[in-house]
Amino acid sequence: SMRYFVTSFAVKDTILPGGQSSIFAGTLQNGIFRSENYGASWTAVDSGLGDFQNLVDAIGVKGDTIFACTSSGLIFSTSNGNYWSTINTPTMTSLQVINCIAAKDSFIFVGTPGGMFRSTDNGYSCETDNNGISYGASIFSILVADSDVFLGTTERVYKSTDNGASWTKSDSGLPIYPKQVLSIESGPNK
């Protein structure tokens, strides 16, 4: 049987007929899959994927747009994953590796081995967004939690309260050195 190494998940909140949301799974070598029944079954949704876009590092959702970070750049779908297009801009094609992606309001945050990038136009242009982040920190995870954005990096955890314009250290008490955080997740609000 074929084995799939799943690298990331994303949930598109748009409710489908019958009340389900779409769940997307990015895989290491087999592209992108979608479930419309809470993971009971999965369907490959890779129409439009180009060469080397079957390696998916991360998936993010902003409204009706699904973004996927692949080994050859950032791709997106506005058709619930039925068709994918590549964002071919000088900024995006210069980013050789994209580790993670998240969206908040009008912003898209893209984490790379070279730092954080932020876009306000769905990835067509990006600006570096490293004010307060240690030089050389690789960004491995992004969490949007209410009005805050958190980064898990090879250096420590960072937090932004101004949509990524500036970052402050937010890892007091983490018992690791260096304070490498490769994944961040949010639980239910209490």
Side-chain angles (χ1 to χ4, degrees):
S1 71
M2 184 164 252
R3 294 183 183 197
Y4 299 94
F5 183 82
V6 176
T7 57
S8 58
F9 287 103
V11 176
K12 184 176 172 200
D13 289 332
T14 304
I15 303 299
L16 300 168
Q20 302 97 333
S21 297
S22 294
I23 302 171
F24 292 87
T27 67
L28 185 60
Q29 296 178 336
N30 301 99
I32 301 169
F33 290 78
R34 177 183 64 214
S35 175
E36 295 180 345
N37 55 12
Y38 300 104
S41 62
W42 296 88
T43 303
V45 287
D46 54 12
S47 179
L49 292 184
D51 292 339
F52 305 108
Q53 290 181 331
N54 60 343
L55 188 149
V56 179
D57 292 315
I59 297 179
V61 176
K62 180 183 171 203
D64 287 332
T65 305
I66 304 119
F67 294 92
C69 306
T70 73
S71 56
S72 62
L74 188 62
I75 61 173
F76 72 98
S77 174
T78 57
S79 62
N80 204 38
N82 292 322
Y83 186 81
W84 297 88
S85 299
T86 302
I87 298 178
N88 285 323
T89 64
T91 303
M92 280 297 129
T93 55
S94 69
L95 300 177
Q96 296 297 314
V97 176
I98 301 173
N99 294 332
C100 52
I101 188 167
K104 177 182 180 289
D105 302 326
S106 64
F107 297 96
I108 295 174
F109 301 95
V110 177
T112 74
M116 175 58 58
F117 293 81
R118 179 176 62 169
S119 174
T120 58
D121 60 3
N122 286 334
Y124 287 96
S125 65
C126 285
E127 59 187 31
T128 57
D129 190 15
N130 296 310
N131 184 16
I133 299 173
S134 297
Y135 177 78
S138 292
I139 314 301
F140 280 98
S141 60
I142 307 168
L143 170 68
V144 174
D146 298 322
S147 62
D148 300 326
V149 181
F150 293 86
L151 303 178
T153 77
T154 52
E155 302 294 323
R156 53 188 349 118
V157 173
Y158 292 94
K159 176 181 175 180
S160 176
T161 58
D162 56 8
N163 292 316
S166 63
W167 300 92
T168 57
K169 297 171 186 169
S170 183
D171 54 16
S172 179
L174 281 178
I176 50 180
Y177 184 84
K179 296 181 180 189
Q180 296 180 344
V181 178
L182 303 182
S183 181
I184 303 175
E185 187 59 47
S186 174
N189 293 334
K190 294 189 180 195

